[in-house]
Structures are given as C-alpha cells and as structure tokens.
C-alpha cells in the first residue's frame, strides 16, 4: 500500500487487518500497489523478525520487489536527483561510475566518499547499483564526487545475464550409484507424501550431491511444488547453474547481485505468478516469492557466507529449515563437511542423515600429505613455504602436462609492512589493522576492510614513526607466490585468482581458461576452492595450511578443517 508519512508517500506492507472503527487521528491510506507477498512468506518474515529481534520493517524489506514504475509514480515527491531521471526501474542501460584521472582529492572529503573513491580507483569503475549494495548512501557520495570533478557517471548498455548468455544442450540423467539411489529414494518419498522433513546429505567431494538435488527437484515439480536452491556465492558457481539449466531448461530463475532493478522485478513477478518454479541464488534467494514452495535445498550448508553480517543478521541455513517447515515441505542440507550445528540436529533426531561415502565416478579419494615446515627445508625458490616435496610435485605434474591449484588465503604481495629499526607496523588510519602491500601499479598498501590505500615503495620509504628507511615486507600473499612460481617455472603458465584480479563474471573467465588448459598453475584465495569442475587438475597445494587455525574466530578450527 501507499502510506502518507509526514509530507512523503512511502510504500508499506499490510501484515494484519484490525476489525472495528479506526482510532482517532489515523490517516487514510493513499492507495494500494499491485504487488503482494505470498501469505506464507509474510508469516515467515514475522517469525524471523521475532527470532532475531530485528525490526519487522527491515525484515520485510528483504522480500520486497524493486520499486516498479507504478510504485515510483505513487510515491513520487517531485525532487529529482542525479540518479532519478529514470525513476523506478532501470532501463537496459546501466549507470556506471568512473574515477577521473589526475585530480587530487580535497582534505575535507567525507569518509564514505573517500572510501568509494579509493574503491573506484582500485577497480577502475563500477555500476552505481554495485556501490549502493555496499555503501548505503553511495548515490549522494557519488553526486559529491561528480561535483568535485573526482568522478563521472556514464550510461552503458547492459550486458546479457552471464548465467543465460549461452545456449545449453539438455542432458540425460546419469545412472545413480547405490548410495545416491538410497538418498534419492528417501528424499523423493518425503516429497511425494508431503511429509515435512529435513535431511542432511553428507557426501564426500565429487559424490554426486547435485544429481540427488535434481532428482528431488523433479519430484517436487511433478507434485506442483516450487523450489528454492541456496548456494554460498552465486558468482563462483556458473557451472552449477548450467547443470540446472541443462536439466530443467530456462524455467529456472537465477537471483544474483549483477541484475538491474528491471531484471530483478521481472524475476520477482515471474516467481510470484508461478511462471517459474525453481529459484537459485545466494542467501537472499530465501525470500523469493515462490508460489506453493515445498522444497528448499541448501548446498554447502556449512559455508559462513550464509550468515548475513549487516542489517538483519540472519542465518539463511537455519531460516531455510524454518521456511520449509512452515509450508509442510522438505529441506535438504548438503555438505562434505557439515557444520557442528547440523551434526547436533542429526544426533538429537531433528534431521535425518543420508551418507554418500564414495565418489560418483568410482574415483579414489586423493592422497593427502602433510608437510611439517619445521622439519622440511625450502625448495630451489628459497621460500620455506614452497617446500622441496611441493616443488618436486609441481615439477612432476607439469612434466605430465597436468594442472595445479595452489591455495593461499592471503591476497596481495605481503600481508604486512614493518620497520626493522623500531618495530612499527604500517596500519590503516581508519581500521587499525595492518595494511597489505600490493606490488602492482607501482606499489601501494591497501586496507582489506575499508579499501583505504596509499602509495609505498618499501625499499626507500621512511618509517612513519622513526623515519628510518628500514621498512621490510613480511609474510606471503598470492601476488608474491605467483611471482615466485613464474620465476621458478619459467615455461609454466601461471595465473592468479583473487578479488584483486577478478570479480563477478571475470571469475568464470579465469576458470574457463583453466578448463581450456591455457593455464598450468592457478594460485588463489578461497575463490579457487569452490567446487569448480576441473578434470585436469591433479595436484593441489595448500600453503601454510595451519595459519587458518589462528584466525580470531571461535570457528577457526572448524573452518580450517
């Protein structure tokens, strides 16, 4: 509905209707809007708000569609700003913000505008919608940057959705092994009988969990149920979406951050009308207005990205169980390393465990070797973290024309810069954490929290505290590891995958280069660990694996495992 609110008109959602005469001094509604939330979804939102003690308005906003033209017209106030020429939905063109070259920023620039400018300079320009997702007041900050000549706004053609850009041939379901058959039978039986149950599908890596999900989705669709599939990071799983499209055609809806408001609204309307009955996305897909929802699948349920860390702090894994339970439907949680909470639910009888203990293609599990850095010396590179066993294994793999992935959860060249004369650490002025040295673009130190950055040449720059020219780089980052490998194996094609070199669609381009064997060694952060199907990778090295145990987090051991 449209509500008069002071001098403004705001969209609101009716959760209950009060019978009887209205109280005094209550203003009449200004009108009704065409969109409505499914009744089961509003009930779920109220429960979520009560459980997490979150304001109901903030919770309901998670499930609302982007404002369509009718909503924009109904709530118009008459003040048009830089971004309001196309009120409501964006057209096929998107507004892009780019930093201008060679203009110094004024000293009095607000902290948010300064952070956005640093982010733009680091990434070379971004859609305004992407900035608004990260900074609540991004549009006002960008308007200020435009006024000062530090940024410009351009309009570009919207590229086609990367998840639907290529045609996909339909597949034929493979023959299931015995364990997959048992797991599928249990879930499909619960779907067909309409039993409200929750399953943990505990399957080792490569055991064919996705095929079990797809058989369950087929059963749900046959029964007339809608389906939500939650995955940890949609930008890292285009191949997963391709598998669903190969099985179900384009009757799947992919919800991801790169959609324009127009595309989001179209997806929302199609789901609400029941034209599409399968929604795939990250945690926010939990609030999709699916018609007759009956099956919710949470892939990689242990992943920390299912926990929303700002605004309404909800855990999408727990809420997926609640949403399925409210509808009398089935919830399937899949993982090779289930979270302790889910394991506890199994042991207390609230969740039924289904085990896939072998790989689907009858391959053996990999041999794992732990190398103790205290006892094993450095390889020819001289870096103790590239040990002799790992160096020899890389040599042997390259000789066989096979591929290698090296995982190091530290981006940049060196995680910290310290003065050897006085011991001072170079820290971020905003966050008080160590600044990471990035060698690219003539050398800068950057904060990985607020994106603050400043130039630094560690071999000649004075210490900020004692002014001695004794700054030294400490630790190992992906940038330095890439450089060391390129020097040690000059004939090998080495590439890096982390947030500094790729985001969004660019991630899949790097993975595609590995798939087409244009890359021999891929070095990267957590992006390289996300279940990519890379058949020619036969060696994986985890650099300094136990560093993950010392992260200040009570789950450090669980996440390292």
């Amino acid at each position: 509905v449209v509500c008069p609110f002071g001098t403004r008109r705001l969209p609101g959602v009716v959760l209950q209707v009060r019978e009887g005469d209205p109280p005094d001094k209550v203003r009449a509604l200004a009108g009704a809007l065409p969109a409505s939330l499914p009744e089961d979804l509003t009930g779920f939102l109220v429960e979520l708000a009560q459980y997490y003690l979150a304001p109901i308005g903030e919770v309901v906003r998670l499930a609302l569609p982007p404002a369509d033209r009718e909503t924009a017209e109904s709530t118009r106030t008459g003040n048009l700003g830089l971004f309001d020429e196309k009120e409501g939905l964006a057209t096929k063109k998107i507004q892009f913000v780019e930093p201008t070259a060679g203009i110094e920023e004024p000293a009095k620039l607000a902290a948010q505008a300064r952070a956005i400018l640093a982010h733009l300079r680091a990434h070379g320009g971004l859609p305004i919608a992407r900035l608004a997702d990260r900074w609540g007041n991004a549009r006002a900050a960008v308007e200020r940057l435009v006024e000062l000549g530090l940024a410009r706004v351009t309009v570009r053609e919207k590229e086609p959705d990367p998840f639907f850009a290529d045609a996909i041939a339909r597949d034929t379901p493979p023959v299931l092994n015995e364990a997959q058959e048992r797991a599928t039978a249990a879930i499909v039986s619960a779907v067909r009988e309409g039993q409200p149950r929750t399953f943990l599908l505990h399957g080792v890596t490569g055991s064919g969990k996705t095929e079990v999900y797809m058989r369950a989705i087929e059963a749900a669709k046959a029964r007339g149920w809608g389906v939500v599939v939650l995955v940890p990071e949609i930008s890292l799983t285009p191949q997963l979406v391709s598998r669903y499209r190969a099985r179900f055609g384009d009757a799947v809806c992919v919800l991801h951050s790169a959609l324009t408001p127009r595309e989001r609204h179209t997806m929302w309307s199609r789901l609400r009308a029941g034209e599409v009955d399968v929604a795939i996305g990250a945690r926010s897909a939990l609030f999709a207005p699916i018609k007759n929802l009956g099956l919710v699948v949470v892939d990689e349920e242990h992943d920390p990205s299912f926990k929303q860390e700002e605004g309404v702090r909800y855990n999408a894994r727990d809420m997926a169980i609640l949403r399925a339970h409210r509808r009398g439907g089935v919830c399937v949680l899949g993982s090779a390393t289930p979270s302790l909470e889910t394991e506890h639910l199994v042991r207390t009888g609230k969740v039924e465990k289904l085990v896939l203990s072998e790989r689907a293609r009858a391959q053996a599990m990999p041999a794992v070797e732990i190398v103790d850095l205290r006892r094993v010396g450095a390889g020819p590179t001289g870096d103790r973290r590239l040990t002799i066993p790992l160096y020899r294994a890389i040599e042997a793999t390259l000789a066989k024309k096979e591929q290698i992935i090296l995982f190091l959860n530290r981006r940049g060249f060196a995680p910290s810069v310290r003065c050897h004369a006085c011991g001072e650490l170079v820290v971020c002025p905003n966050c008080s954490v160590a600044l990471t040295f990035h060698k690219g673009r003539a050398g800068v130190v950057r904060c990985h929290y607020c994106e603050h950055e400043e130039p630094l040449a560690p071999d000649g720059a004075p210490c900020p505290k004692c002014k001695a020219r004794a700054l030294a780089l400490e630790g190992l980052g992906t940038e330095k590891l890439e450089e060391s490998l390129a020097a040690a194996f000059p004939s090998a094609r080495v590439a890096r995958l982390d947030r500094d070199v790729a985001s969004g669609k660019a991630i899949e381009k790097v993975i595609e280069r590995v798939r087409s064997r244009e890359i021999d060694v891929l070095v990267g952060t957590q992006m390289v660990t996300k279940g990519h199907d890379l058949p020619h990778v036969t060696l994986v090295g985890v650099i300094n694996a136990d560093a993950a145990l010392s992260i200040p987090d009570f789950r450090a051991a669980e996440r390292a495992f």
Side-chain angles (χ1 to χ4, degrees), residues 506-524:
I507 296 166
E508 180 59 12
K509 286 178 183 170
V510 177
I511 295 296
E512 194 49 53
R513 287 177 61 211
V514 179
R515 219 172 272 138
S516 60
R517 309 191 73 173
E518 295 172 36
I519 293 170
D520 300 312
V521 185
L522 182 66
V523 175

Side-chain angles (χ1 to χ4, degrees), residues 58-80:
E58 293 294 318
V59 173
V60 169
R61 186 181 291 170
L62 297 171
L64 290 181
D68 58 5
R69 207 169 291 281
E70 194 164 339
T71 307
E73 286 294 331
S74 304
T75 57
R76 185 184 295 281
T77 56
N79 299 319
L80 287 178

Side-chain angles (χ1 to χ4, degrees), residues 96-169:
F96 215 80
V97 187
E98 299 169 300
T100 51
I103 299 176
E104 285 303 310
E105 56 194 83
K108 289 187 177 177
L109 197 60
Q112 190 174 83
R114 194 179 294 278
I116 289 173
L117 182 60
H119 193 65
L120 290 171
R121 285 177 172 170
H123 295 86
L126 290 166
I128 182 64
R130 188 81 56 83
L131 295 173
D133 285 344
R134 180 164 181 169
W135 288 281
N137 204 25
R139 293 171 189 271
V142 168
E143 286 192 36
R144 178 73 181 133
L145 293 174
V146 170
E147 278 175 32
L148 294 170
L150 295 167
R152 61 175 166 267
V153 176
T154 56
V155 177
R156 298 187 181 183
E157 287 290 333
K158 172 79 171 72
E159 292 182 31
D161 188 336
F163 291 101
F164 292 89
D166 302 319
I168 298 280

